[in-house]
Amino acid sequence: MEPSGGQSSAADGERPSQDDRRIEGFVPPGRLRRFRYGVASHTAHLRALAARDFEERRGFLFLAVGFSCGAAAYFILPREPLLSALLPAALAAASAACLAWWRGGGAYPLVLLACFLAGMSAGKLRVESLRAPVLQHPLSTEVTGRVVAVETRAERTPRVVLDQVRIERLSAEETPHRVRLTLRTDLPPIGARVKGAARLAPLPGPAIPGGYDPARAAFFDGIGASGFVFGTLTVVEPPSGVHVFLAIAAIRRAIAERITDAVAGPPAAIAAALLVGDRGQIADADVDALRIAGLAHILAISGLHMMLIAGTAFWLVRAVLALSEHMALVLPIRKIAAAVALAVGAFYLSISGGNVATIRAFVMLAVMLTAVFLDRPALSLRNLAIAAFVVVALQPESVLEPGFQMSFLAVAALVAAWEAWRDRPRQDLAEPAHGLSRLLRRPVVAIGAVCLTTLVAGLATSPFAAFHFGRLASYSLLGNIIAMPLVSLIVMPAGLISLIAMPFGLETVPLTVMAWGIDLVLASAHFVASLSGATVIVPPFPAIALILMCGGLLWLSLWRSQLRLYGVAPLLLGALLAWLLGARPDLLVDEAGRAVAARDVAGHLQIVGARQGSFLDDVWREGEAEAAGTSGFRCDAEACVLEMPEGLTLSRVTDPVAFSEDCRRVEIIVTQLRAPRDCAARIVIDRTALATHGAHALFMEINPPDGVAPHLDLRTSRPSIRRPWQGSPALK
């Protein structure tokens, strides 16, 4: 029989009619069944792969990611959430997960949600624990406090941090708990109570919207004001009592002084950075050379340094104990060596300054050595996930810092690459019989390992280097091949020996060897940095591009099966967005309105009002392919004027008299004054806008259609609703 309604049946072998073919979206039923079967089969295959990875406990890794993402979500919220809402939500999700597990399934998404909410709660608890008064207005007054930190800085004046502060013109409720002061005289001893006249000011905000925020960093260090000392700080009470943190700070300073006494010049500064985390004395030229050569990671005490120090201790103790046949047969020398290595790592952590990378490295070291005690595999992504939980729980603000992102992503990529290499199909190859071949095999394998490690870590960290620093190191592979054997075989072992010998006054010889190795590392860094095209400048790009690339890298690293290949899509999409949407600001204004940077008609950055060599000037010039100048501005007693691309004119007004003319004839006005309300300029950045929104950045549409004014995208560093770590405005 014919189907009712005159419809044809493909199942009966009849071809669809012409009218049927015109139906949009029509698919022959047979082909549709095959398509549905293919989708179902592929989905079942993916589920099987995921189930296999979850059987290997890979799900725990994503819980650490969820916890970290929760902390990050808290810090990027537009307004402050309520702790009374976050904690019950996290507990409810955890309770629902337990109930789902008890009923036999569906618990993992709820556990992931609970970890996400727990991360948000950790961020909120951290901020609430650090809430303290911050200075609201600049003032000159007498300051009294206890010295808790001393920062020596190459090519800059040193700084001290005071706690137990008393400020003459402020009440106890208005006084910050800590202040940071710059001084030009001799540094007082740590733990001493000092007094002096100082000029204090609120902490500065970002130099560019989305850039490094000094006020945020100071908030999480407990610092509520900064300034400089008039004259000297007088010691009113010498150090007394026993304070663990002050004692550690004093030990760090003493070690740095012993290093300076034994060796001089750049090697001493870098040795202090490697052993006690004091990077203040390293010359800017050496820092730039190391960064351009892809060796900046050497300066941050991280997994490399922790593993070299603890690994050297482990090897030395095990080798010494193995010299006795009786001890080697009777005692668990491997576990004894692990215990000593853990103690050495804990001491190294205490004198290193305790940054995020160091804490992560120590937690991983502790987990690895604990695995040695339990006869379990020491190196795994699970250990990295545990380290992430610990670091984010202690310092949730670190998730938005480049140190955290680059450190964890690099290690995740390296461990994932090692797992892929370990699981590769193998072929049994006979050992080379020739002596020369066997002799050359180890150095070739070592060089190949350095190359592979550098390549994997470089690819994993390059999105973050491009986003946070605006540049990439082209020859990092070459720099690491030359320098890393020196660091691994000479610099760090000699540094460990010098720390052991220091209490006996015998550190000169190992420090001399360490300095010799550092000299070679610096020479290789300067050589690589001098090569043509050593640095690739990357324009700023949106955060969504970084999020996509980060998600792709995590997906590639955390899955073990073929599921990881799906991480390539977001990685490539993020890179494409970074390439398409990357743009440099055409106008920059600092939060006080004193300094302005703008592009002239030729696209060159012109700066006025910023002292050359200052932090602001360095930040604005960084990432520019050509040196920024000042000659583009035409200045008189009333204003400075610059012709910008697309026929726009900028006026930096310094005298109210200029408003009457410039409000009519220029498109952009920047001033520390209050502009007239009827000012007709297209963009007006005045005292009110600066006090409300902080630093400004303007992005201009290039080559708009004929007769159409260019689109102007104005971005600011301060939202209208401020979070606790966003400092007071520089202007009020």
Side-chain angles (χ1 to χ4, degrees):
M1 295 180 60
E2 290 283 332
S4 61
Q7 295 180 355
S8 60
S9 172
D12 294 334
E14 297 183 10
R15 300 183 56 164
S17 67
Q18 189 173 2
D19 292 336
D20 290 333
R21 291 181 179 275
R22 291 173 182 168
I23 299 175
E24 185 176 356
F26 173 79
V27 179
R31 188 180 303 173
L32 180 60
R33 284 197 300 271
R34 289 194 298 270
F35 173 76
R36 289 175 176 174
Y37 175 78
V39 170
S41 176
H42 187 65
T43 303
H45 177 64
L46 294 181
R47 287 179 177 175
L49 292 177
R52 189 179 66 185
D53 281 354
F54 270 71
E55 288 176 359
E56 297 179 0
R57 300 181 180 179
R58 309 296 276 199
F60 179 73
L61 309 180
F62 291 96
L63 297 183
V65 174
F67 188 66
S68 303
C69 289
Y74 164 77
F75 288 106
I76 63 177
L77 286 175
R79 61 172 65 230
E80 196 68 14
L82 296 175
L83 185 62
S84 57
L86 289 177
L87 285 178
L91 291 174
S95 301
C98 292
L99 181 62
W101 175 80
W102 181 70
R103 289 185 172 181
Y108 187 80
L110 293 171
V111 175
L112 191 60
L113 176 61
C115 287
F116 181 85
L117 294 172
M120 293 188 69
S121 302
K124 177 66 174 177
L125 289 170
R126 169 74 167 162
V127 168
E128 292 299 324
S129 69
L130 292 173
R131 278 187 185 268
V134 295
L135 191 66
Q136 299 295 326
H137 301 280
L139 76 159
S140 298
T141 184
E142 185 175 81
V143 179
T144 304
R146 182 181 62 171
V147 179
V148 293
V150 173
E151 303 173 17
T152 55
R153 304 181 296 168
E155 305 171 13
R156 292 180 176 87
T157 52
R159 301 186 299 192
V160 296
V161 178
L162 307 181
D163 72 349
Q164 300 180 4
V165 177
R166 287 188 303 184
I167 299 176
E168 192 174 72
R169 295 169 55 185
L170 296 180
S171 65
E173 292 76 18
E174 298 173 315
T175 302
H177 294 174
R178 286 189 174 195
V179 298
R180 183 168 53 212
L181 299 174
T182 301
L183 69 164
R184 299 181 180 276
T185 56
D186 293 337
L187 295 172
I190 294 176
R193 192 161 188 82
V194 297
K195 178 177 67 175
R199 175 69 175 176
L200 299 178
L203 293 155
I208 180 173
Y212 171 74
D213 189 350
R216 179 184 181 277
F219 175 86
F220 290 105
D221 288 336
I223 297 172
S226 63
F228 59 89
V229 176
F230 297 113
T232 62
L233 286 175
T234 304
V235 177
V236 297
E237 182 182 332
S240 61
V242 178
H243 303 277
V244 175
F245 293 106
L246 294 181
I248 292 174
I251 291 172
R252 294 181 65 211
R253 186 176 178 187
I255 292 174
E257 291 174 351
R258 296 283 286 270
I259 292 171
T260 305
D261 292 339
V263 294
I270 293 182
L274 296 178
L275 296 182
V276 296
D278 181 7
R279 293 190 279 178
Q281 292 296 318
I282 305 176
D284 291 341
D286 291 334
V287 173
D288 289 340
L290 289 167
R291 183 173 63 234
I292 294 172
L295 297 172
H297 62 90
I298 292 176
L299 300 179
I301 298 178
S302 58
L304 169 70
H305 309 75
M306 186 67 70
M307 296 307 168
L308 287 175
I309 290 288
T312 301
F314 180 88
W315 181 85
L316 285 174
V317 171
R318 191 176 182 185
V320 170
L321 293 178
L323 293 176
S324 169
E325 182 179 355
H326 175 73
M327 297 179 72
L329 293 175
V330 174
L331 298 178
I333 60 174
R334 188 166 178 262
K335 297 181 179 180
I336 294 174
V340 174
L342 184 60
V344 170
F347 174 74
Y348 190 39
L349 172 67
S350 67
I351 66 172
S352 67
N355 60 42
V356 170
T358 313
I359 295 174
R360 187 266 307 158
F362 177 74
V363 172
M364 284 199 68
L365 175 70
V367 174
M368 289 172 59
L369 294 178
T370 302
V372 172
F373 283 112
L374 301 176
D375 298 320
R376 301 289 297 273
L379 183 64
S380 69
L381 285 171
R382 189 178 182 84
N383 298 350
L384 183 65
I386 294 173
F389 271 113
V390 173
V391 172
V392 176
L394 295 176
Q395 297 177 335
E397 70 276 8
S398 64
V399 296
L400 298 182
E401 297 173 359
F404 177 93
Q405 297 165 2
M406 298 175 76
S407 173
F408 276 91
L409 260 295
V411 175
L414 288 171
V415 176
W418 174 78
E419 288 181 345
W421 177 262
R422 181 193 61 189
D423 298 338
R424 74 191 189 281
R426 298 171 183 258
Q427 293 181 352
D428 294 332
L429 299 177
E431 289 288 330
H434 196 274
L436 182 60
S437 300
R438 302 182 70 177
L439 184 64
L440 293 177
R441 184 177 183 180
R442 287 193 176 183
V444 169
V445 170
I447 293 174
V450 171
C451 293
L452 183 60
T453 299
T454 302
L455 183 62
V456 172
L459 290 175
T461 58
S462 58
F464 305 97
F467 182 81
H468 292 290
F469 308 119
R471 59 181 64 208
L472 296 173
S474 304
Y475 303 127
S476 60
L477 184 61
L478 175 61
N480 281 270
I481 290 175
I482 299 174
M484 290 314 299
L486 298 171
V487 175
S488 303
L489 300 178
I490 299 176
V491 174
M492 295 308 297
L496 174 61
I497 295 173
S498 68
L499 289 176
I500 296 173
M502 206 167 282
F504 307 99
L506 303 175
E507 72 274 7
T508 302
V509 173
L511 282 176
T512 302
V513 175
M514 185 180 187
W516 175 72
I518 291 173
D519 274 327
L520 294 177
V521 171
L522 285 177
S524 64
H526 283 280
F527 164 72
V528 174
S530 66
L531 298 176
S532 177
T535 301
V536 176
I537 304 298
V538 180
F541 54 86
I544 184 62
L546 180 68
I547 293 172
L548 286 170
M549 288 187 282
C550 179
L553 287 169
L554 285 172
W555 194 271
L556 281 168
S557 301
L558 301 187
W559 291 106
R560 190 169 181 178
S561 64
Q562 294 177 356
L563 281 173
R564 65 172 52 181
L565 299 179
Y566 287 90
V568 175
L571 183 61
L572 294 180
L573 178 59
L576 180 62
L577 290 178
W579 179 61
L580 293 176
L581 303 180
R584 302 187 189 284
D586 298 288
L587 171 66
L588 293 168
V589 183
D590 79 318
E591 65 173 358
R594 300 186 188 95
V596 177
R599 299 197 183 278
D600 59 18
V601 176
H604 300 149
L605 194 68
Q606 303 292 330
I607 300 177
V608 64
R611 180 174 54 84
Q612 189 169 2
S614 64
F615 172 77
L616 183 66
D617 185 71
D618 290 343
V619 171
W620 283 359
R621 292 174 184 270
E622 189 175 33
E624 291 296 316
E626 298 184 12
T630 59
S631 59
F633 282 92
R634 294 181 283 107
C635 298
D636 56 25
E638 300 173 356
C640 290
V641 178
L642 177 71
E643 299 297 329
M644 297 181 66
E646 305 303 329
L648 300 182
T649 304
L650 162 70
S651 177
R652 175 179 175 264
V653 177
T654 55
D655 192 314
V657 176
F659 285 126
S660 60
E661 179 181 355
D662 287 355
C663 280
R664 289 184 289 104
R665 71 180 186 88
V666 305
E667 290 78 17
I668 304 172
I669 286 182
V670 177
T671 179
Q672 289 183 277
L673 308 171
R674 295 191 190 278
R677 291 186 177 181
D678 59 351
C679 185
R682 188 175 175 185
I683 298 289
V684 178
I685 304 173
D686 66 349
R687 185 182 187 89
T688 302
L690 293 167
T692 305
H693 300 295
H696 286 60
L698 180 68
F699 294 81
M700 184 187 307
E701 181 186 8
I702 303 300
N703 299 323
D706 293 339
V708 178
H711 173 70
L712 303 180
D713 179 15
L714 188 63
R715 305 174 190 176
T716 61
S717 62
R718 297 279 191 232
S720 300
I721 301 173
R722 302 199 176 205
R723 305 292 294 278
W725 57 87
Q726 291 170 333
S728 301
L731 289 174
K732 285 194 173 183

